[in-house]
Amino acid sequence: IVTAVDNHSYSKELNDRILYTERQFIGIGLPERPYYRHVLQAPGLYQGYAPQVLPGISQAIRAQNQRVAQVQTELTARVIT
């Protein structure tokens, strides 16, 4: 039998795990937009608030900047592994 206390403890533990997991994806900031630090998603550079996946890498590829793309790929890999 699950009690309300057990359910609350489980919910709190689950919320904490999700919160700390999400924090693992915070990097040093995107090129030209250091205030966006999440390496998996951020608002697109030209899409307003529409999300962009792997924004540092995507942004560098769109700008055809191979050096920045390589750096962003390495930074992203470090953060997600």
Side-chain angles (χ1 to χ4, degrees):
I1 298 175
V2 177
T3 66
V5 172
D6 292 336
N7 196 24
H8 175 73
S9 296
Y10 176 75
S11 294
K12 175 151 178 32
E13 180 184 344
L14 184 59
N15 283 337
D16 288 347
R17 291 173 107 183
I18 291 169
L19 172 73
Y20 293 123
T21 299
E22 186 70 20
R23 286 183 181 172
Q24 298 302 310
F25 300 117
I26 302 298
I28 61 171
L30 297 177
E32 302 176 31
R33 300 187 299 160
Y35 38 86
Y36 290 119
R37 297 176 44 214
H38 202 285
V39 299
L40 295 183
Q41 55 84 28
L45 191 57
Y46 301 109
Q47 297 100 300
Y49 288 103
Q52 185 173 35
V53 178
L54 301 172
I57 299 168
S58 300
Q59 200 172 305
I61 290 171
R62 281 197 184 94
Q64 298 180 349
N65 190 329
Q66 185 177 2
R67 184 186 63 76
V68 173
Q70 183 63 40
V71 168
Q72 287 299 307
T73 300
E74 291 169 4
L75 289 171
T76 300
R78 261 188 253 142
V79 169
I80 64 175
T81 57

